[in-house]
Amino acid sequence: MSLAFNSSFKKINQVGFRRMASYTKLEANFIKPDLDDRSYRYIQLPNDLKALLIQDPSADKAAAALDVNVGAFEDPEELPGLAHFCEHLLFMGSKRFPDENEYSSYLSKHGGSSNAYTGSRNTNYYFEINHEHLKGALDRFSGFFTGPLFNKDSTDKEIRAVDSENKKNLQSDLWRLYQLDKSLTNVKHPYHKFSTGNFITLHEVPESRGIDVREELLKFYKRCYSSNLMKLCILGREDLDTLSDRACTLFQDVPNTGRGVPEYNARILDEHSLQKVIQAKSVKDLKKLEVTFAVPDMEHQWESKPHHILSHLVGHEGSGSLLAYLKAKGWANELSAGGHSVSRGNAFFSIDIDLTDDGLRHYEEVVHILFQYIEMLKLSLPEKWIYLELEDIARADFKFKQKRSPSETVSSLAKQLEKSYIPVANILSIELFRKYEPDLLMDYLNHLTPRNSRIMLASKDMETDTKEQWYGTEYKILNYSQKLSKIIQDPGLDPHLHLPRPNEFIATNFRVDKTDQIVPLEEPLLLKDDKNSKLWYKKDDRFWQPRGYIYVTLKLPHTQSSIISSMLSTLYVHLINDHVKDLQYDAACSNLHLNFSKTNQGLDITVIGFNDKLTILLTRFLEGLKTFTPSKSKFQMFKDKCTRQLTNQLYEIPYLQIFPVYSSLINERTWSIKEKLEVLKRLTFEQLASFAPSIYEEMFFEVLVHGNMRYEEAMEVDSLVQTLAPSDIKNYQAKNGRLRSYFLPQGETFRFETHLVDSKNLNSCIQHVTQLGVYDECLSSKASLFAQMIHEPCFDTLRTKEQLGYVVFSSNLNNHGTANLRILVQSEHTTPFLEWRIDNFLHSFGSTLRNMSDKDFEGHKDALCKSLTQKYKNMREESSRYASAIYLGDYNFTHRQRKAHLVSQLTKVELTDFYDDLIVGPNASRMVLHLKSQVSSDRLDESSLDKAKYPQGTLITDVGEFKSKLFAAPVRQPTKKFEVFTPKL
């Protein structure tokens, strides 16, 4: 990095080393983004634990993370999943706070949340909380590392939680193919292990061998969890001295065994693993080709990033790219490429291609073209201008980087700090390119050879002869065919493949006209309101960044008038995005993002990024939109792709399937996936060709322009979008054509039952929705406070204590005109049993509510109010909130502040009446969705279920007939009248 660049960033200058009373202060000059107002300090505790302290004087939420430089690779061979189990059980109480629920309860009461994950080489724990409660949260958090109980009473429950987590993934192709890939590697390297664990590996097998899993867990913890391998990161409002003292006081007693960072030197892909084709049978309708290369480990080459440069070129989607050529031949839909280190000395570079049916039949030719592209790169590189482009993009992105959530910040930094080869001064700026090292790039590229490769080919119809142990994935291993070996050994060149052109969208103008001592506006200004459109505008007055956000929502009656129109619109969006792929991809490489999508009101266009080229990108996109002419071959390709996507949604994890089912039941002009598939299969090219020209008839649109953009640019955007209208004929009702939800009759319960299409999925899912009434801010405030109060006890009761399943979720739910409360559980239990347990929880919560102390009640209100009134962390968050209010049509840009005020006024009596009347009383209206597994489990005891009582409610047998009998709720109305603003020029 040049000195000129170095001086363009703020630094924290801390001189010399000082020995503090209780910790050593490791001085460093942290390179920071321009607008980073945080202060940083890196210290070492007496037990060799190192900590990064971050003072953010304006933070609403504080956070902390601890990363242990040991992960699933350290699992004993005979106990797969032990590291993951340790991560689960660690939270079940400490010597100082023995209650297994103390930590999660404290966080929930103070606007907080927590999570953790077990990686191959690290385990990461993190939380966030309202800033004034950081000390109490840290006190509880630190106990898991200074004095964990590994509660004996919780052991069996958490083994079942791990088992449930594993069963959630058993029918996921992502997990199945990942484990298959791992299983077929060198057994001398721990990469091959099954890292999740399940009931068999953590209970049945150990018990049969006389192994006490808890005792083995304690040994694992003492062996692996050493303070010298840990990195702590704390973010809060307190000054650095206070945060440092707190870190030392609470974490200096973490034991230090002095163990070193584990090393794994065996080669993952040895000669027995390479030059193989792994044919795998998928659950979904996949057509997946993945070519993996064993390459040099470049983790330590963080300054020049050769693997990143190669990922950029191989994964490019513009003219001359590998994907563009494969798409032109009708063989591929999508492509991604990337390199990553698995352990020191072991790294992969993988190219993942989503094939068409024809591409699958010609997969060897696809691989041949891939090697032709690699050959072209070997002859064309190095090119310094490519490095300089990536360097410029990374520099601009870092220079103007904005804040993320506190928990994301501390979690990622704690993990990054494990990379001891990176000077701490650079830990915030690791994404920057600092050295041009062409020899390293060429050495890396020269390892992409047939000899270093292997192929995985996945589809539903693949020929197989073996099953993988942990997920049951069927597969077969073949050697490369003679034909394939011959054509890729000497692939030659193809004139269609060449390096990308220089990127025209790289920003060069970062000027921001900042005004000091200005109070930011809370709402955008309305610049225009007529029969054609509304134009909203807000000059950035909060972040002073050279960024912009353009949001265009097109209200188009044709696109959602019927299921046929809806599916034709979906295909149209796919075809347009393909038509402008060159444009979108070049822009995306420059961190300028354009999204074109279908909504339930029409179509949306969003353009985000540095404002320098924002309007140019929108102009070019709209030109592409107007010149688009559909082709029959592309229509068929994307019809097939869309059919596959919809079909695969029916094989998703059950809890991800349930909301579309609910939406098709409760919303007008909304259809089930099965209905969409039936229509899609019958659509013809001629229908699309006649439909496309009529899409923009009767158009009404709204525009939001926000950021470092002038009034004149906002007016220009409005004029550009106006050119899409094919005529002056207007539908004056188009602006009100918003989707509406249906009312359930008061006091009635309805249920909908359907079986999972995937006959092998063990999990059922239930969504229990209580409809509270017509949406208004007061009702929504009560629902939000009630959801806040039940969130932690719902999880603790249904997941932790009753062990119903890994996925337990509760929240308020605002539809298109109604307010609701929902509880969702995914489980091996039958859905009637789950309904009973949810019903029991809701009824038993009444005593909790009535016995709640005034202090706890006010605490819940305070936690919710502070969450609602958090300051915006970045411009995109602010823009998205404005865009949401425009899309909903209520223009309630300050709805969080208004809701917080309403919540602050609520009394316990009002909440108790709300609960008695709308949640459990005779006026409660409910819709319960049962998404049922076809697999029955003999090991689950449901003998206490009253089958005469559950399932409850009127069974919906004909969705159309059910919806036809209901009234539709009114859509949300504007909260006030906005006058058109005329600026003084």
Side-chain angles (χ1 to χ4, degrees):
M1 180 171 59
S2 69
L3 289 174
F5 172 62
N6 208 3
S7 64
S8 69
F9 296 107
K10 293 182 177 179
K11 297 180 181 180
I12 303 170
N13 295 302
Q14 299 172 345
V15 183
F17 287 90
R18 288 188 305 234
R19 184 73 189 176
M20 309 300 289
S22 52
Y23 57 85
T24 302
K25 190 170 168 185
L26 305 177
E27 317 294 345
N29 298 326
F30 288 91
I31 298 173
K32 305 195 302 177
D34 274 10
L35 297 180
D36 188 347
D37 60 353
R38 292 166 170 165
S39 301
Y40 298 83
R41 177 187 290 171
Y42 195 50
I43 65 172
Q44 182 171 325
L45 307 188
N47 59 353
D48 288 342
L49 189 152
K50 294 185 177 72
L52 178 66
L53 297 320
I54 307 172
Q55 182 194 14
D56 186 340
S58 62
D60 292 311
K61 298 278 188 184
L66 189 141
D67 194 276
V68 186
N69 207 354
V70 171
F73 279 174
E74 285 297 287
D75 282 350
E77 285 286 349
E78 70 277 9
L79 284 172
L82 191 65
H84 184 212
F85 176 47
C86 180
E87 173 226 305
H88 272 249
L89 198 60
L90 189 76
F91 285 116
M92 299 292 110
S94 66
K95 290 176 182 175
R96 182 162 162 75
F97 297 99
D99 185 347
E100 68 175 14
N101 198 42
E102 172 63 29
Y103 173 61
S104 57
S105 178
Y106 185 85
L107 293 176
S108 179
K109 288 175 182 176
H110 299 103
S113 61
S114 69
N115 213 333
Y117 68 85
T118 304
S120 297
R121 292 185 288 165
N122 78 304
T123 310
N124 194 281
Y125 304 86
Y126 56 95
F127 72 84
E128 72 176 36
I129 194 165
N130 289 339
H131 73 88
E132 63 270 35
H133 299 287
L134 173 62
K135 183 179 179 181
L138 276 175
D139 199 8
R140 289 156 177 80
F141 182 67
S142 63
F144 301 137
F145 307 99
T146 57
L149 292 180
F150 292 114
N151 198 321
K152 197 168 187 177
D153 295 336
S154 302
T155 300
D156 288 343
K157 287 191 294 186
E158 286 309 306
I159 288 176
R160 292 190 182 279
V162 169
D163 185 62
S164 180
E165 183 177 353
N166 177 59
K167 285 175 175 171
K168 170 178 71 72
N169 302 324
L170 285 178
Q171 288 298 98
S172 164
D173 285 314
L174 182 71
W175 285 89
R176 292 165 68 89
L177 297 177
Y178 175 53
Q179 185 60 49
L180 176 61
D181 177 70
K182 294 204 304 174
S183 297
L184 299 175
T185 59
N186 184 0
V187 294
K188 294 180 180 178
H189 192 285
Y191 182 72
H192 75 278
K193 294 179 181 179
F194 169 52
S195 57
T196 306
N198 59 26
F199 192 74
I200 295 171
T201 68
L202 295 171
H203 180 77
E204 290 182 0
V205 170
E207 188 175 59
S208 71
R209 296 175 178 173
I211 297 172
D212 186 324
V213 170
R214 183 172 177 273
E215 285 301 314
E216 293 303 314
L217 177 62
L218 293 173
K219 292 178 188 176
F220 173 86
Y221 180 82
K222 290 174 183 176
R223 175 171 63 88
C224 295
Y225 275 52
S226 179
S227 59
N228 67 304
L229 296 182
M230 297 178 180
K231 300 296 182 291
L232 175 68
C233 186
I234 302 175
L235 184 155
R237 280 196 183 186
E238 295 87 342
D239 62 72
L240 292 176
D241 287 340
T242 301
L243 292 174
S244 299
D245 289 341
R246 197 166 287 168
C248 190
T249 301
L250 294 173
F251 290 89
Q252 65 182 339
D253 292 330
V254 178
N256 182 4
T257 65
R259 75 158 293 172
V261 177
E263 294 282 348
Y264 312 102
N265 297 317
R267 193 178 176 197
I268 296 176
L269 291 176
D270 56 16
E271 61 275 12
H272 303 295
S273 310
L274 295 168
Q275 299 181 71
K276 306 289 184 185
V277 177
I278 304 164
Q279 296 185 169
K281 183 171 288 188
S282 60
V283 174
K284 292 182 178 179
D285 184 13
L286 301 183
K287 307 284 189 295
K288 175 184 165 74
L289 168 69
E290 183 177 35
V291 182
T292 299
F293 297 90
V295 293
D297 175 18
M298 291 289 172
E299 190 172 35
H300 285 241
Q301 312 307 323
W302 59 278
E303 293 177 292
S304 56
K305 301 178 175 54
H307 57 295
H308 181 93
I309 297 171
L310 200 58
S311 300
H312 164 71
L313 293 170
V314 178
H316 208 281
E317 299 181 14
S319 176
S321 69
L322 174 58
L323 178 61
Y325 187 34
L326 292 175
K327 286 174 77 171
K329 294 182 80 69
W331 287 352
N333 292 312
E334 296 172 6
L335 181 149
S336 62
H340 69 280
S341 173
V342 180
S343 66
R344 187 165 185 175
N346 276 289
F348 300 151
F349 186 85
S350 298
I351 303 166
D352 196 337
I353 305 174
D354 176 31
L355 301 171
T356 63
D357 288 336
D358 203 27
L360 185 63
R361 287 190 288 270
H362 293 87
Y363 91 88
E364 290 192 341
E365 288 96 320
V366 172
V367 175
H368 178 214
I369 293 171
L370 184 156
F371 275 95
Q372 286 183 316
Y373 190 84
I374 291 170
E375 186 70 15
M376 181 275 295
L377 291 179
K378 289 176 180 177
L379 294 173
S380 304
L381 296 178
E383 283 283 359
K384 191 170 184 178
W385 69 266
I386 295 173
Y387 172 86
L388 293 174
E389 271 199 355
L390 294 174
E391 182 187 52
D392 285 346
I393 292 166
R395 180 190 294 118
D397 198 43
F398 173 72
K399 182 178 173 71
F400 301 107
K401 182 188 283 188
Q402 299 181 85
K403 293 178 182 177
R404 296 185 293 168
S405 77
S407 59
E408 285 180 299
T409 300
V410 295
S411 175
S412 62
L413 282 173
K415 182 183 179 184
Q416 295 283 35
L417 288 166
E418 301 289 12
K419 299 176 179 179
S420 57
Y421 51 87
I422 299 176
V424 173
N426 299 317
I427 206 69
L428 305 176
S429 58
I430 193 172
E431 67 266 41
L432 293 173
F433 286 77
R434 290 176 162 87
K435 285 184 182 177
Y436 176 55
E437 297 183 304
D439 290 345
L440 273 179
L441 173 64
M442 297 311 295
D443 178 58
Y444 191 87
L445 179 57
N446 286 328
H447 278 79
L448 302 192
T449 64
R451 184 179 177 183
N452 281 341
S453 70
R454 79 171 183 182
I455 294 169
M456 181 176 286
L457 201 61
S459 85
K460 282 178 74 85
D461 304 316
M462 201 58 66
E463 180 185 329
T464 64
D465 59 12
T466 314
K467 276 190 177 183
E468 187 274 323
Q469 179 182 2
W470 303 109
Y471 290 81
T473 308
E474 297 177 44
Y475 69 97
K476 183 177 184 179
I477 301 176
L478 303 170
N479 292 318
Y480 283 5
S481 70
Q482 284 189 342
K483 173 192 169 188
L484 178 62
S485 294
K486 184 177 180 180
I487 59 176
I488 65 176
Q489 196 63 49
D490 186 16
L493 296 173
D494 190 298
H496 295 93
L497 303 172
H498 56 79
L499 292 176
R501 60 182 178 269
N503 195 329
E504 64 179 303
F505 288 108
I506 296 176
T508 56
N509 180 4
F510 301 105
R511 179 180 172 181
V512 177
D513 295 321
K514 185 175 180 181
T515 305
D516 293 326
Q517 296 180 335
I518 186 172
V519 178
L521 295 176
E522 294 299 329
E523 300 174 316
L525 302 169
L526 180 62
L527 300 188
K528 180 184 173 186
D529 185 3
D530 60 22
K531 63 183 180 180
N532 300 315
S533 65
K534 284 189 177 192
L535 172 61
W536 302 89
Y537 169 69
K538 185 170 186 283
K539 173 78 172 68
D540 173 38
D541 54 7
R542 197 183 303 272
F543 296 101
W544 307 110
Q545 290 256 320
R547 300 180 186 275
Y549 182 106
I550 299 173
Y551 169 67
V552 181
T553 181
L554 307 170
K555 300 182 189 300
L556 305 167
H558 289 306
T559 60
Q560 198 76 2
S561 60
S562 69
I563 189 171
I564 294 174
S565 297
S566 177
M567 295 317 299
L568 286 171
S569 300
T570 297
L571 286 171
Y572 172 78
V573 168
H574 277 289
L575 289 165
I576 289 292
N577 281 323
D578 178 68
H579 179 60
V580 298
K581 177 55 73 178
D582 258 18
L583 179 73
Q584 283 180 316
Y585 193 79
D586 274 353
C589 289
S590 304
N591 289 316
L592 198 62
H593 301 284
L594 187 148
N595 183 59
F596 181 57
S597 59
K598 178 177 173 291
T599 72
N600 54 41
Q601 298 178 19
L603 304 172
D604 275 6
I605 306 166
T606 309
V607 192
I608 309 168
F610 291 121
N611 60 279
D612 183 25
K613 307 285 177 72
L614 213 60
T615 310
I616 295 172
L617 175 59
L618 179 63
T619 302
R620 295 269 299 279
F621 171 73
L622 292 174
E623 288 169 355
L625 207 62
K626 287 181 282 187
T627 59
F628 168 72
T629 303
S631 77
K632 196 164 189 175
S633 61
K634 290 279 188 180
F635 168 81
Q636 191 58 51
M637 180 187 296
F638 283 97
K639 178 181 172 182
D640 292 344
K641 179 181 178 179
C642 195
T643 301
R644 203 158 79 217
Q645 287 176 336
L646 284 172
T647 302
N648 288 339
Q649 284 184 40
L650 297 173
Y651 289 83
E652 276 288 0
I653 298 169
Y655 80 88
L656 295 177
Q657 292 188 47
I658 207 157
F659 190 78
V661 176
Y662 172 68
S663 184
S664 70
L665 291 168
I666 205 66
N667 295 326
E668 60 181 6
R669 303 196 313 274
T670 309
W671 303 275
S672 69
I673 292 171
K674 290 179 181 178
E675 288 173 312
K676 291 177 180 179
L677 275 169
E678 283 299 312
V679 170
L680 183 60
K681 290 173 183 176
R682 289 171 168 76
L683 293 181
T684 64
F685 172 71
E686 289 71 26
Q687 284 174 295
L688 179 76
S690 60
F691 173 76
S694 68
I695 284 180
Y696 300 100
E697 290 178 357
E698 305 181 84
M699 178 179 79
F700 180 85
F701 66 93
E702 296 195 52
V703 173
L704 167 68
V705 177
H706 175 220
N708 188 42
M709 303 184 73
R710 294 174 289 109
Y711 163 81
E712 293 83 1
E713 290 176 290
M715 299 301 291
E716 181 186 358
V717 170
D718 181 82
S719 298
L720 287 169
V721 178
Q722 184 61 54
T723 62
L724 289 175
S727 70
D728 291 331
I729 301 173
K730 299 297 171 190
N731 175 354
Y732 295 103
Q733 296 303 315
K735 66 170 69 177
N736 296 315
R738 285 174 277 159
L739 199 67
R740 299 197 293 176
S741 298
Y742 290 108
F743 272 137
L744 299 178
Q746 192 176 60
E748 292 195 32
T749 297
F750 295 90
R751 78 177 191 273
F752 181 77
E753 299 180 359
T754 186
H755 280 95
L756 291 171
V757 172
D758 183 358
S759 61
K760 296 181 180 179
N761 200 309
L762 303 174
N763 289 292
S764 296
C765 187
I766 188 167
Q767 181 167 275
H768 184 286
V769 179
T770 304
Q771 190 178 93
L772 306 170
V774 177
Y775 175 88
D776 65 52
E777 288 183 291
C778 184
L779 182 61
S780 178
S781 299
K782 292 176 182 176
S784 295
L785 182 55
F786 186 77
Q788 153 75 25
M789 291 192 296
I790 71 165
H791 178 74
E792 190 278 330
C794 177
F795 185 87
D796 181 54
T797 301
L798 302 181
R799 184 195 184 281
T800 306
K801 290 187 170 66
E802 298 191 14
Q803 288 289 298
L804 296 182
Y806 182 74
V807 179
V808 173
F809 181 75
S810 62
S811 73
N812 62 317
L813 176 67
N814 295 323
N815 285 342
H816 303 278
T818 63
N820 307 267
L821 181 84
R822 68 167 164 175
I823 296 177
L824 179 149
V825 180
Q826 180 177 288
S827 170
E828 288 183 81
H829 279 285
T830 64
T831 52
F833 185 86
L834 298 175
E835 183 184 357
W836 169 43
R837 300 318 303 152
I838 292 170
D839 199 41
N840 182 72
F841 166 74
L842 286 173
H843 280 84
S844 64
F845 186 76
S847 61
T848 304
L849 178 59
R850 289 181 176 84
N851 294 327
M852 187 179 293
S853 68
D854 291 342
K855 179 182 177 182
D856 283 349
F857 183 78
E858 292 300 320
H860 279 296
K861 286 168 56 178
D862 181 65
L864 178 57
C865 287
K866 284 177 176 167
S867 293
L868 288 168
T869 56
Q870 284 184 75
K871 291 182 287 292
Y872 296 115
K873 291 182 287 294
N874 51 62
M875 191 190 298
R876 186 165 184 171
E877 189 178 278
E878 182 181 2
S879 301
S880 298
R881 203 168 292 173
Y882 297 152
S884 177
I886 291 167
Y887 179 79
L888 289 171
D890 62 1
Y891 310 114
N892 193 355
F893 301 110
T894 59
H895 80 280
R896 284 175 168 259
Q897 297 94 316
R898 291 162 63 102
K899 181 182 277 191
H901 175 72
L902 290 169
V903 168
S904 70
Q905 304 298 311
L906 291 174
T907 65
K908 186 177 170 184
V909 171
E910 287 177 298
L911 255 290
T912 305
D913 289 346
F914 165 87
Y915 168 81
D916 289 338
D917 186 31
L918 298 177
I919 304 297
V920 295
N923 291 327
S925 304
R926 302 183 187 91
M927 179 179 283
V928 186
L929 276 67
H930 299 252
L931 194 54
K932 301 191 289 187
S933 170
Q934 297 185 44
V935 181
S936 57
S937 175
D938 296 329
R939 72 177 186 85
L940 298 173
D941 181 12
E942 296 188 354
S943 58
S944 53
L945 172 67
D946 184 349
K947 295 183 179 179
K949 186 175 180 182
Y950 296 97
Q952 295 183 329
T954 304
L955 181 66
I956 301 169
T957 55
D958 186 315
V959 174
E961 181 183 346
F962 165 71
K963 291 167 80 168
S964 72
K965 295 176 181 178
L966 303 178
F967 293 105
V971 296
R972 299 193 200 181
Q973 299 302 306
T975 53
K976 69 177 185 181
K977 180 173 176 56
F978 286 81
E979 299 295 333
V980 174
F981 175 81
T982 305
K984 298 176 182 177
L985 300 177

